[in-house]
mmCIF file of all heavy atoms in Angstrom:
data_model
loop_
_atom_site.group_PDB
_atom_site.id
_atom_site.type_symbol
_atom_site.label_atom_id
_atom_site.label_comp_id
_atom_site.label_asym_id
_atom_site.label_seq_id
_atom_site.Cartn_x
_atom_site.Cartn_y
_atom_site.Cartn_z
ATOM 1 N N VAL C 40 -27.958 -4.166 12.007
ATOM 2 C CA VAL C 40 -29.347 -4.027 12.465
ATOM 3 C C VAL C 40 -29.495 -4.567 13.883
ATOM 4 O O VAL C 40 -30.126 -3.934 14.740
ATOM 5 C CB VAL C 40 -30.309 -4.745 11.482
ATOM 6 C CG1 VAL C 40 -31.707 -4.841 12.066
ATOM 7 C CG2 VAL C 40 -30.331 -4.010 10.159
ATOM 8 N N THR C 41 -28.911 -5.730 14.150
ATOM 9 C CA THR C 41 -28.986 -6.317 15.485
ATOM 10 C C THR C 41 -28.310 -5.417 16.519
ATOM 11 O O THR C 41 -28.848 -5.177 17.599
ATOM 12 C CB THR C 41 -28.319 -7.708 15.508
ATOM 13 O OG1 THR C 41 -28.956 -8.528 14.534
ATOM 14 C CG2 THR C 41 -28.439 -8.351 16.871
ATOM 15 N N GLY C 42 -27.144 -4.923 16.188
ATOM 16 C CA GLY C 42 -26.449 -4.025 17.101
ATOM 17 C C GLY C 42 -27.207 -2.739 17.330
ATOM 18 O O GLY C 42 -27.245 -2.219 18.448
ATOM 19 N N PHE C 43 -27.831 -2.219 16.285
ATOM 20 C CA PHE C 43 -28.593 -0.974 16.411
ATOM 21 C C PHE C 43 -29.810 -1.174 17.307
ATOM 22 O O PHE C 43 -30.169 -0.303 18.094
ATOM 23 C CB PHE C 43 -29.005 -0.488 15.024
ATOM 24 C CG PHE C 43 -29.472 0.926 15.002
ATOM 25 C CD1 PHE C 43 -28.567 1.968 15.076
ATOM 26 C CD2 PHE C 43 -30.815 1.228 14.906
ATOM 27 C CE1 PHE C 43 -28.985 3.290 15.053
ATOM 28 C CE2 PHE C 43 -31.248 2.539 14.882
ATOM 29 C CZ PHE C 43 -30.337 3.577 14.962
ATOM 30 N N CYS C 44 -30.443 -2.344 17.204
ATOM 31 C CA CYS C 44 -31.625 -2.628 18.023
ATOM 32 C C CYS C 44 -31.275 -2.835 19.493
ATOM 33 O O CYS C 44 -32.119 -2.610 20.371
ATOM 34 C CB CYS C 44 -32.350 -3.862 17.489
ATOM 35 S SG CYS C 44 -33.131 -3.579 15.903
ATOM 36 N N CYS C 45 -30.074 -3.259 19.781
ATOM 37 C CA CYS C 45 -29.662 -3.542 21.156
ATOM 38 C C CYS C 45 -29.038 -2.339 21.857
ATOM 39 O O CYS C 45 -28.589 -2.456 23.000
ATOM 40 C CB CYS C 45 -28.671 -4.704 21.171
ATOM 41 S SG CYS C 45 -29.381 -6.253 20.626
ATOM 42 N N LEU C 46 -29.020 -1.196 21.216
ATOM 43 C CA LEU C 46 -28.407 -0.013 21.817
ATOM 44 C C LEU C 46 -29.265 0.538 22.946
ATOM 45 O O LEU C 46 -30.493 0.527 22.890
ATOM 46 C CB LEU C 46 -28.224 1.078 20.765
ATOM 47 C CG LEU C 46 -27.136 0.857 19.735
ATOM 48 C CD1 LEU C 46 -27.148 1.998 18.726
ATOM 49 C CD2 LEU C 46 -25.787 0.759 20.384
ATOM 50 N N THR C 47 -28.586 1.015 23.949
ATOM 51 C CA THR C 47 -29.292 1.721 25.016
ATOM 52 C C THR C 47 -29.476 3.175 24.588
ATOM 53 O O THR C 47 -28.907 3.632 23.592
ATOM 54 C CB THR C 47 -28.483 1.666 26.325
ATOM 55 O OG1 THR C 47 -27.237 2.325 26.121
ATOM 56 C CG2 THR C 47 -28.240 0.227 26.750
ATOM 57 N N GLU C 48 -30.238 3.903 25.368
ATOM 58 C CA GLU C 48 -30.503 5.297 25.013
ATOM 59 C C GLU C 48 -29.236 6.146 25.046
ATOM 60 O O GLU C 48 -29.049 7.035 24.227
ATOM 61 C CB GLU C 48 -31.535 5.880 25.972
ATOM 62 C CG GLU C 48 -32.012 7.256 25.581
ATOM 63 C CD GLU C 48 -33.118 7.737 26.495
ATOM 64 O OE1 GLU C 48 -33.911 6.914 26.965
ATOM 65 O OE2 GLU C 48 -33.170 8.945 26.714
ATOM 66 N N GLY C 49 -28.319 5.815 25.923
ATOM 67 C CA GLY C 49 -27.079 6.571 26.035
ATOM 68 C C GLY C 49 -26.132 6.344 24.869
ATOM 69 O O GLY C 49 -25.291 7.184 24.560
ATOM 70 N N LEU C 50 -26.239 5.205 24.219
ATOM 71 C CA LEU C 50 -25.340 4.875 23.110
ATOM 72 C C LEU C 50 -25.984 5.072 21.738
ATOM 73 O O LEU C 50 -25.406 4.716 20.715
ATOM 74 C CB LEU C 50 -24.865 3.425 23.237
ATOM 75 C CG LEU C 50 -24.005 3.104 24.458
ATOM 76 C CD1 LEU C 50 -23.714 1.619 24.519
ATOM 77 C CD2 LEU C 50 -22.722 3.895 24.420
ATOM 78 N N PHE C 51 -27.186 5.627 21.722
ATOM 79 C CA PHE C 51 -27.916 5.771 20.464
ATOM 80 C C PHE C 51 -27.171 6.642 19.461
ATOM 81 O O PHE C 51 -27.121 6.334 18.269
ATOM 82 C CB PHE C 51 -29.305 6.336 20.737
ATOM 83 C CG PHE C 51 -30.191 6.347 19.536
ATOM 84 C CD1 PHE C 51 -30.715 5.163 19.040
ATOM 85 C CD2 PHE C 51 -30.507 7.536 18.893
ATOM 86 C CE1 PHE C 51 -31.527 5.162 17.928
ATOM 87 C CE2 PHE C 51 -31.317 7.548 17.775
ATOM 88 C CZ PHE C 51 -31.831 6.366 17.299
ATOM 89 N N GLU C 52 -26.581 7.741 19.919
ATOM 90 C CA GLU C 52 -25.865 8.644 19.013
ATOM 91 C C GLU C 52 -24.653 7.956 18.384
ATOM 92 O O GLU C 52 -24.381 8.105 17.194
ATOM 93 C CB GLU C 52 -25.419 9.917 19.754
ATOM 94 C CG GLU C 52 -26.563 10.821 20.166
ATOM 95 C CD GLU C 52 -27.161 10.420 21.513
ATOM 96 O OE1 GLU C 52 -26.548 9.594 22.215
ATOM 97 O OE2 GLU C 52 -28.242 10.924 21.842
ATOM 98 N N ILE C 53 -23.931 7.194 19.195
ATOM 99 C CA ILE C 53 -22.768 6.460 18.670
ATOM 100 C C ILE C 53 -23.223 5.414 17.655
ATOM 101 O O ILE C 53 -22.571 5.191 16.643
ATOM 102 C CB ILE C 53 -21.979 5.821 19.823
ATOM 103 C CG1 ILE C 53 -21.386 6.913 20.704
ATOM 104 C CG2 ILE C 53 -20.889 4.903 19.305
ATOM 105 C CD1 ILE C 53 -20.731 6.406 21.958
ATOM 106 N N GLY C 54 -24.358 4.800 17.912
ATOM 107 C CA GLY C 54 -24.910 3.830 16.969
ATOM 108 C C GLY C 54 -25.260 4.469 15.633
ATOM 109 O O GLY C 54 -25.045 3.876 14.573
ATOM 110 N N LEU C 55 -25.809 5.677 15.681
ATOM 111 C CA LEU C 55 -26.113 6.381 14.435
ATOM 112 C C LEU C 55 -24.841 6.704 13.661
ATOM 113 O O LEU C 55 -24.790 6.552 12.437
ATOM 114 C CB LEU C 55 -26.871 7.678 14.732
ATOM 115 C CG LEU C 55 -28.348 7.535 15.066
ATOM 116 C CD1 LEU C 55 -28.948 8.896 15.414
ATOM 117 C CD2 LEU C 55 -29.106 6.910 13.919
ATOM 118 N N ILE C 56 -23.809 7.122 14.373
ATOM 119 C CA ILE C 56 -22.537 7.417 13.717
ATOM 120 C C ILE C 56 -21.942 6.150 13.107
ATOM 121 O O ILE C 56 -21.471 6.155 11.964
ATOM 122 C CB ILE C 56 -21.551 8.066 14.714
ATOM 123 C CG1 ILE C 56 -22.052 9.460 15.100
ATOM 124 C CG2 ILE C 56 -20.143 8.146 14.128
ATOM 125 C CD1 ILE C 56 -21.300 10.095 16.242
ATOM 126 N N ALA C 57 -21.970 5.048 13.851
ATOM 127 C CA ALA C 57 -21.430 3.782 13.339
ATOM 128 C C ALA C 57 -22.210 3.305 12.117
ATOM 129 O O ALA C 57 -21.622 2.795 11.154
ATOM 130 C CB ALA C 57 -21.451 2.719 14.437
ATOM 131 N N THR C 58 -23.515 3.466 12.123
ATOM 132 C CA THR C 58 -24.328 3.084 10.967
ATOM 133 C C THR C 58 -23.987 3.962 9.768
ATOM 134 O O THR C 58 -23.884 3.467 8.641
ATOM 135 C CB THR C 58 -25.825 3.200 11.303
ATOM 136 O OG1 THR C 58 -26.100 2.396 12.444
ATOM 137 C CG2 THR C 58 -26.684 2.745 10.154
ATOM 138 N N GLY C 59 -23.784 5.241 9.990
ATOM 139 C CA GLY C 59 -23.374 6.135 8.907
ATOM 140 C C GLY C 59 -22.027 5.742 8.326
ATOM 141 O O GLY C 59 -21.829 5.778 7.106
ATOM 142 N N VAL C 60 -21.098 5.357 9.188
ATOM 143 C CA VAL C 60 -19.784 4.901 8.713
ATOM 144 C C VAL C 60 -19.932 3.627 7.890
ATOM 145 O O VAL C 60 -19.301 3.468 6.839
ATOM 146 C CB VAL C 60 -18.817 4.702 9.906
ATOM 147 C CG1 VAL C 60 -17.555 3.986 9.475
ATOM 148 C CG2 VAL C 60 -18.477 6.038 10.538
ATOM 149 N N PHE C 61 -20.773 2.705 8.335
ATOM 150 C CA PHE C 61 -21.010 1.463 7.593
ATOM 151 C C PHE C 61 -21.555 1.770 6.196
ATOM 152 O O PHE C 61 -21.105 1.202 5.201
ATOM 153 C CB PHE C 61 -21.987 0.578 8.373
ATOM 154 C CG PHE C 61 -22.357 -0.687 7.662
ATOM 155 C CD1 PHE C 61 -21.477 -1.752 7.623
ATOM 156 C CD2 PHE C 61 -23.577 -0.801 7.024
ATOM 157 C CE1 PHE C 61 -21.816 -2.921 6.968
ATOM 158 C CE2 PHE C 61 -23.924 -1.960 6.372
ATOM 159 C CZ PHE C 61 -23.042 -3.024 6.337
ATOM 160 N N ILE C 62 -22.513 2.688 6.115
ATOM 161 C CA ILE C 62 -23.090 3.052 4.818
ATOM 162 C C ILE C 62 -22.042 3.738 3.942
ATOM 163 O O ILE C 62 -21.958 3.477 2.736
ATOM 164 C CB ILE C 62 -24.327 3.943 5.020
ATOM 165 C CG1 ILE C 62 -25.448 3.116 5.657
ATOM 166 C CG2 ILE C 62 -24.801 4.557 3.711
ATOM 167 C CD1 ILE C 62 -26.631 3.927 6.126
ATOM 168 N N ALA C 63 -21.208 4.586 4.543
ATOM 169 C CA ALA C 63 -20.165 5.274 3.776
ATOM 170 C C ALA C 63 -19.142 4.291 3.223
ATOM 171 O O ALA C 63 -18.688 4.432 2.081
ATOM 172 C CB ALA C 63 -19.471 6.308 4.660
ATOM 173 N N ILE C 64 -18.776 3.289 4.001
ATOM 174 C CA ILE C 64 -17.824 2.279 3.521
ATOM 175 C C ILE C 64 -18.425 1.500 2.360
ATOM 176 O O ILE C 64 -17.762 1.248 1.348
ATOM 177 C CB ILE C 64 -17.401 1.348 4.672
ATOM 178 C CG1 ILE C 64 -16.525 2.116 5.663
ATOM 179 C CG2 ILE C 64 -16.664 0.119 4.145
ATOM 180 C CD1 ILE C 64 -16.236 1.357 6.943
ATOM 181 N N GLY C 65 -19.695 1.120 2.465
ATOM 182 C CA GLY C 65 -20.355 0.418 1.363
ATOM 183 C C GLY C 65 -20.424 1.261 0.099
ATOM 184 O O GLY C 65 -20.204 0.775 -1.011
ATOM 185 N N ALA C 66 -20.710 2.556 0.264
ATOM 186 C CA ALA C 66 -20.763 3.452 -0.891
ATOM 187 C C ALA C 66 -19.387 3.599 -1.533
ATOM 188 O O ALA C 66 -19.262 3.637 -2.760
ATOM 189 C CB ALA C 66 -21.294 4.819 -0.464
ATOM 190 N N ARG C 67 -18.345 3.665 -0.723
ATOM 191 C CA ARG C 67 -16.982 3.792 -1.265
ATOM 192 C C ARG C 67 -16.584 2.536 -2.028
ATOM 193 O O ARG C 67 -15.912 2.615 -3.060
ATOM 194 C CB ARG C 67 -15.988 4.060 -0.121
ATOM 195 C CG ARG C 67 -14.560 4.157 -0.568
ATOM 196 C CD ARG C 67 -14.352 5.326 -1.535
ATOM 197 N NE ARG C 67 -13.000 5.299 -2.061
ATOM 198 C CZ ARG C 67 -12.677 5.087 -3.324
ATOM 199 N NH1 ARG C 67 -13.611 4.900 -4.227
ATOM 200 N NH2 ARG C 67 -11.434 5.072 -3.712
ATOM 201 N N ILE C 68 -16.996 1.375 -1.557
ATOM 202 C CA ILE C 68 -16.699 0.129 -2.269
ATOM 203 C C ILE C 68 -17.376 0.134 -3.640
ATOM 204 O O ILE C 68 -16.765 -0.218 -4.652
ATOM 205 C CB ILE C 68 -17.138 -1.091 -1.433
ATOM 206 C CG1 ILE C 68 -16.211 -1.234 -0.225
ATOM 207 C CG2 ILE C 68 -17.142 -2.365 -2.272
ATOM 208 C CD1 ILE C 68 -16.684 -2.246 0.785
ATOM 209 N N CYS C 69 -18.622 0.573 -3.693
ATOM 210 C CA CYS C 69 -19.328 0.657 -4.986
ATOM 211 C C CYS C 69 -18.665 1.673 -5.909
ATOM 212 O O CYS C 69 -18.525 1.437 -7.105
ATOM 213 C CB CYS C 69 -20.786 1.020 -4.766
ATOM 214 S SG CYS C 69 -21.723 -0.264 -3.926
ATOM 215 N N GLN C 70 -18.241 2.807 -5.364
ATOM 216 C CA GLN C 70 -17.574 3.827 -6.167
ATOM 217 C C GLN C 70 -16.258 3.299 -6.717
ATOM 218 O O GLN C 70 -15.926 3.524 -7.882
ATOM 219 C CB GLN C 70 -17.341 5.079 -5.336
ATOM 220 C CG GLN C 70 -16.666 6.196 -6.101
ATOM 221 C CD GLN C 70 -16.263 7.341 -5.192
ATOM 222 O OE1 GLN C 70 -16.063 7.157 -4.000
ATOM 223 N NE2 GLN C 70 -16.160 8.519 -5.761
ATOM 224 N N ALA C 71 -15.493 2.588 -5.897
ATOM 225 C CA ALA C 71 -14.213 2.036 -6.350
ATOM 226 C C ALA C 71 -14.430 1.023 -7.470
ATOM 227 O O ALA C 71 -13.653 0.964 -8.425
ATOM 228 C CB ALA C 71 -13.475 1.398 -5.185
ATOM 229 N N ARG C 72 -15.486 0.243 -7.382
ATOM 230 C CA ARG C 72 -15.793 -0.733 -8.430
ATOM 231 C C ARG C 72 -16.082 -0.035 -9.754
ATOM 232 O O ARG C 72 -15.587 -0.426 -10.811
ATOM 233 C CB ARG C 72 -16.976 -1.585 -8.011
ATOM 234 C CG ARG C 72 -17.396 -2.600 -9.036
ATOM 235 C CD ARG C 72 -18.545 -3.453 -8.507
ATOM 236 N NE ARG C 72 -19.064 -4.253 -9.560
ATOM 237 C CZ ARG C 72 -20.118 -3.909 -10.303
ATOM 238 N NH1 ARG C 72 -20.749 -2.800 -10.088
ATOM 239 N NH2 ARG C 72 -20.542 -4.697 -11.265
ATOM 240 N N GLU C 73 -16.879 1.021 -9.701
ATOM 241 C CA GLU C 73 -17.201 1.765 -10.923
ATOM 242 C C GLU C 73 -15.953 2.421 -11.506
ATOM 243 O O GLU C 73 -15.749 2.421 -12.721
ATOM 244 C CB GLU C 73 -18.271 2.822 -10.634
ATOM 245 C CG GLU C 73 -19.609 2.252 -10.242
ATOM 246 C CD GLU C 73 -20.241 1.405 -11.333
ATOM 247 O OE1 GLU C 73 -20.116 1.769 -12.513
ATOM 248 O OE2 GLU C 73 -20.841 0.378 -10.994
ATOM 249 N N GLN C 74 -15.098 2.982 -10.657
ATOM 250 C CA GLN C 74 -13.871 3.598 -11.142
ATOM 251 C C GLN C 74 -12.941 2.557 -11.755
ATOM 252 O O GLN C 74 -12.287 2.819 -12.763
ATOM 253 C CB GLN C 74 -13.162 4.325 -9.998
ATOM 254 C CG GLN C 74 -13.864 5.576 -9.561
ATOM 255 C CD GLN C 74 -13.230 6.196 -8.335
ATOM 256 O OE1 GLN C 74 -12.441 5.565 -7.644
ATOM 257 N NE2 GLN C 74 -13.585 7.444 -8.060
ATOM 258 N N HIS C 75 -12.885 1.374 -11.162
ATOM 259 C CA HIS C 75 -12.046 0.306 -11.698
ATOM 260 C C HIS C 75 -12.526 -0.101 -13.087
ATOM 261 O O HIS C 75 -11.718 -0.285 -14.000
ATOM 262 C CB HIS C 75 -12.061 -0.896 -10.757
ATOM 263 C CG HIS C 75 -11.343 -2.075 -11.289
ATOM 264 N ND1 HIS C 75 -9.974 -2.156 -11.334
ATOM 265 C CD2 HIS C 75 -11.803 -3.228 -11.830
ATOM 266 C CE1 HIS C 75 -9.628 -3.306 -11.869
ATOM 267 N NE2 HIS C 75 -10.719 -3.974 -12.172
ATOM 268 N N GLN C 76 -13.825 -0.231 -13.261
ATOM 269 C CA GLN C 76 -14.351 -0.611 -14.570
ATOM 270 C C GLN C 76 -14.100 0.474 -15.606
ATOM 271 O O GLN C 76 -13.771 0.179 -16.754
ATOM 272 C CB GLN C 76 -15.835 -0.933 -14.470
ATOM 273 C CG GLN C 76 -16.094 -2.242 -13.770
ATOM 274 C CD GLN C 76 -17.565 -2.569 -13.707
ATOM 275 O OE1 GLN C 76 -18.419 -1.697 -13.845
ATOM 276 N NE2 GLN C 76 -17.878 -3.830 -13.485
ATOM 277 N N ALA C 77 -14.244 1.745 -15.213
ATOM 278 C CA ALA C 77 -13.983 2.840 -16.150
ATOM 279 C C ALA C 77 -12.509 2.865 -16.549
ATOM 280 O O ALA C 77 -12.178 3.064 -17.729
ATOM 281 C CB ALA C 77 -14.387 4.170 -15.527
ATOM 282 N N LEU C 78 -11.612 2.650 -15.598
ATOM 283 C CA LEU C 78 -10.182 2.616 -15.897
ATOM 284 C C LEU C 78 -9.850 1.441 -16.811
ATOM 285 O O LEU C 78 -9.067 1.570 -17.748
ATOM 286 C CB LEU C 78 -9.373 2.522 -14.605
ATOM 287 C CG LEU C 78 -7.860 2.455 -14.771
ATOM 288 C CD1 LEU C 78 -7.329 3.727 -15.421
ATOM 289 C CD2 LEU C 78 -7.201 2.224 -13.420
ATOM 290 N N TYR C 79 -10.470 0.294 -16.574
ATOM 291 C CA TYR C 79 -10.231 -0.876 -17.416
ATOM 292 C C TYR C 79 -10.668 -0.595 -18.857
ATOM 293 O O TYR C 79 -9.960 -0.933 -19.799
ATOM 294 C CB TYR C 79 -10.981 -2.086 -16.861
ATOM 295 C CG TYR C 79 -10.705 -3.337 -17.642
ATOM 296 C CD1 TYR C 79 -9.570 -4.098 -17.389
ATOM 297 C CD2 TYR C 79 -11.567 -3.756 -18.650
ATOM 298 C CE1 TYR C 79 -9.305 -5.238 -18.118
ATOM 299 C CE2 TYR C 79 -11.307 -4.894 -19.382
ATOM 300 C CZ TYR C 79 -10.180 -5.626 -19.106
ATOM 301 O OH TYR C 79 -9.919 -6.753 -19.826
#
Side-chain angles (χ1 to χ4, degrees):
V40 169
T41 303
F43 195 76
C44 291
C45 295
L46 287 177
T47 62
E48 188 175 327
L50 295 175
F51 188 72
E52 292 86 12
I53 295 173
L55 283 177
I56 292 170
T58 303
V60 169
F61 177 77
I62 292 170
I64 290 171
R67 178 62 186 114
I68 290 170
C69 293
Q70 181 189 25
R72 179 177 171 265
E73 295 298 322
Q74 289 174 345
H75 174 75
Q76 288 181 340
L78 179 63
Y79 183 83

